[in-house]
Amino acid sequence: MTSTGSGILDRALPWALGSAVFVLCAGSVSGWAGVATTVPAPVALAVAAASAGATVAARRSVWPVTVVAAVAYVWLAMWPPAVVASYYAGLHLGRRQALWLYAAGASAVWALGGVVSRLSGGHRALAMGSSPNVLILGGALVGLPLVAGLWSRARRQVLDAVREQAEQLLREQVLRAEQARAQERARIAREMHDVVAHRVSLMVLHAGALEVGAPDERTAQAAALISDVGREALHNLREVLGVLRSPDASRDPQPTLADLDRLLEQSRALGLMVNRRDEGPARPLGHSAERTAYRVVQEALTNVHKHARGAETDVVVRYLPAELEVLIRNATSPTGEGFPGSGWGLVGLRERVELLGGTLEAGPHGGGFQVLARIPAA
């Protein structure tokens, strides 16, 4: 059941109970559900209506229905309000002193009603004035509802305790999972810092030494380029380590399509012939879309360097109405090297694109290799 349906039911139940009490009270004073009274009908119906109104308000306070029940029983032998008052007393009176006060008061009222019934004579004296009947009716109409109310309250308390314990366990489980993730991220960050960062730093140092002692200008330029790329890799690695150590830490701006030309220039400096072509009216896109497009081009060019060194490569960026399409296609490698396999780079790239709701296709095309990514513009 939805919360809306449950709320409607909770609001309707008091009114339904009040209506039932009114009908039973009317039946009680008319004789078909109790003892007929000689009080004028309008007065009896007014008492029945007061009992119904007090029943509706019993969820907020038990004392109005208790007072009405006492007057109605002693005066008219009207029993339904007493049942409602006893049940709500057991349900809502939390302190033991209040329960004992109610039990004592109810016993006194019931005894007084028995005395009045005996003095009234007739059918009322026979049905509700004899001592055995007073005890039986008191146990059935006061004692049992009081016990039922106490049982309902105890059951509700147990359920609340179980629910609170389950919520506490869930919070502790989430906390332990977050702590485990934080510890694992910190461990990965340490491993990357101790291994990858150290090796890249050595590469940068050796490239710097080669640049200083290079025998010719071309070697010096290549060493300088390697050194620059290594420093950029260290910078990116520091950003990744910062994210791993503290996901909420402030980070430098991530690369977007505005940085694509710089990426292509680095590949050209390494001897790769790269052609870029933009199609469609260029427009700013979301940071996630542009960053993902940049990573697609970066990974594709990395694969060209590894598996098709020297192959001419085309990078096409298409601005479509609903999506951004990035195509990287390289020709056959002059060295005859094979195509990249389904390594972790392309797998991770595909997962990254699919997280944004896009698709990525990679495979041989026309003797070369092609990577095509479609990324939603929104």
Side-chain angles (χ1 to χ4, degrees):
M1 180 180 296
T2 62
S3 59
T4 303
S6 178
I8 295 175
L9 183 61
D10 287 342
R11 290 192 294 269
L13 278 177
W15 293 97
L17 182 60
S19 301
V21 167
F22 177 80
V23 173
L24 290 175
C25 287
S28 174
V29 295
S30 65
W32 64 267
V35 178
T37 181
T38 58
V39 174
V43 176
L45 291 177
V47 176
S51 300
T55 298
V56 174
R59 299 184 73 175
R60 294 188 296 270
S61 175
V62 71
W63 298 114
V65 71
T66 301
V67 174
V68 172
V71 174
Y73 183 76
V74 173
W75 183 21
L76 303 175
M78 189 181 292
W79 56 268
V83 176
V84 175
S86 296
Y87 176 78
Y88 277 107
L91 187 64
H92 293 310
L93 295 181
R95 292 183 299 176
R96 182 174 300 179
Q97 293 85 348
L99 281 173
W100 280 112
L101 177 63
Y102 176 84
S107 300
V109 168
W110 209 257
L112 179 61
V115 173
V116 173
S117 297
R118 181 177 298 179
L119 295 177
S120 298
H123 181 64
R124 178 175 177 179
L126 181 63
M128 309 183 71
S130 63
S131 298
N133 286 351
V134 170
L135 294 176
I136 293 173
L137 292 176
L141 302 179
V142 176
L144 287 180
L146 184 63
V147 172
L150 291 171
W151 178 83
S152 297
R153 187 182 67 185
R155 179 176 178 272
R156 182 180 301 177
Q157 291 174 346
V158 170
L159 291 177
D160 291 341
V162 171
R163 188 179 299 109
E164 182 179 357
Q165 184 179 10
E167 293 175 354
Q168 178 66 23
L169 291 175
L170 180 60
R171 288 193 295 268
E172 293 177 357
Q173 182 180 4
V174 172
L175 181 60
R176 286 195 296 268
E178 292 177 352
Q179 291 176 345
R181 283 196 296 267
Q183 293 174 357
E184 183 64 16
R185 291 163 71 99
R187 187 189 66 80
I188 295 173
R190 288 194 301 269
E191 292 293 332
M192 291 181 64
H193 179 271
D194 294 342
V195 179
V196 181
H198 177 67
R199 299 296 176 85
V200 175
S201 299
L202 290 178
M203 181 188 72
V204 172
L205 290 175
H206 286 295
L210 179 61
E211 180 183 1
V212 173
D216 53 68
E217 185 65 23
R218 184 175 180 179
T219 303
Q221 291 177 355
L225 180 61
I226 294 173
S227 180
D228 292 339
V229 172
R231 289 191 182 92
E232 184 176 356
L234 282 174
H235 178 73
N236 293 335
L237 185 59
R238 280 195 296 269
E239 293 177 356
V240 173
L241 294 178
V243 173
L244 286 173
R245 290 193 177 104
S246 178
D248 298 328
S250 59
R251 302 188 298 273
D252 294 337
Q254 297 295 303
T256 61
L257 289 177
D259 305 303
L260 191 57
D261 285 332
R262 182 166 59 90
L263 177 65
L264 301 184
E265 285 298 329
Q266 292 177 354
S267 294
R268 294 188 185 108
L270 293 174
L272 188 65
M273 185 179 299
V274 184
N275 307 311
R276 176 181 177 178
R277 185 173 75 255
D278 291 359
E279 297 180 2
R283 65 185 188 278
L285 304 173
H287 292 294
S288 297
E290 292 199 10
R291 183 166 60 249
T292 301
Y294 179 92
R295 296 304 184 190
V296 168
V297 177
Q298 184 182 46
E299 179 64 24
L301 292 179
T302 300
N303 285 335
V304 173
H305 283 292
K306 291 165 57 178
H307 303 283
R309 189 176 299 112
E312 184 175 358
T313 305
D314 295 323
V315 176
V316 182
V317 180
R318 297 191 181 101
Y319 292 89
L320 302 178
E323 62 184 11
L324 176 68
E325 190 174 274
V326 180
L327 172 67
I328 304 95
R329 180 184 299 160
N330 62 273
T332 306
S333 172
T335 61
E337 297 182 47
F339 299 136
S342 57
W344 290 111
L346 289 177
V347 172
L349 201 61
R350 179 175 288 106
E351 292 176 352
R352 183 169 190 161
V353 173
E354 290 176 350
L355 281 176
L356 296 181
T359 59
L360 185 137
E361 301 172 2
H365 183 275
F369 196 83
Q370 171 181 292
V371 176
L372 176 62
R374 298 182 178 91
I375 305 169

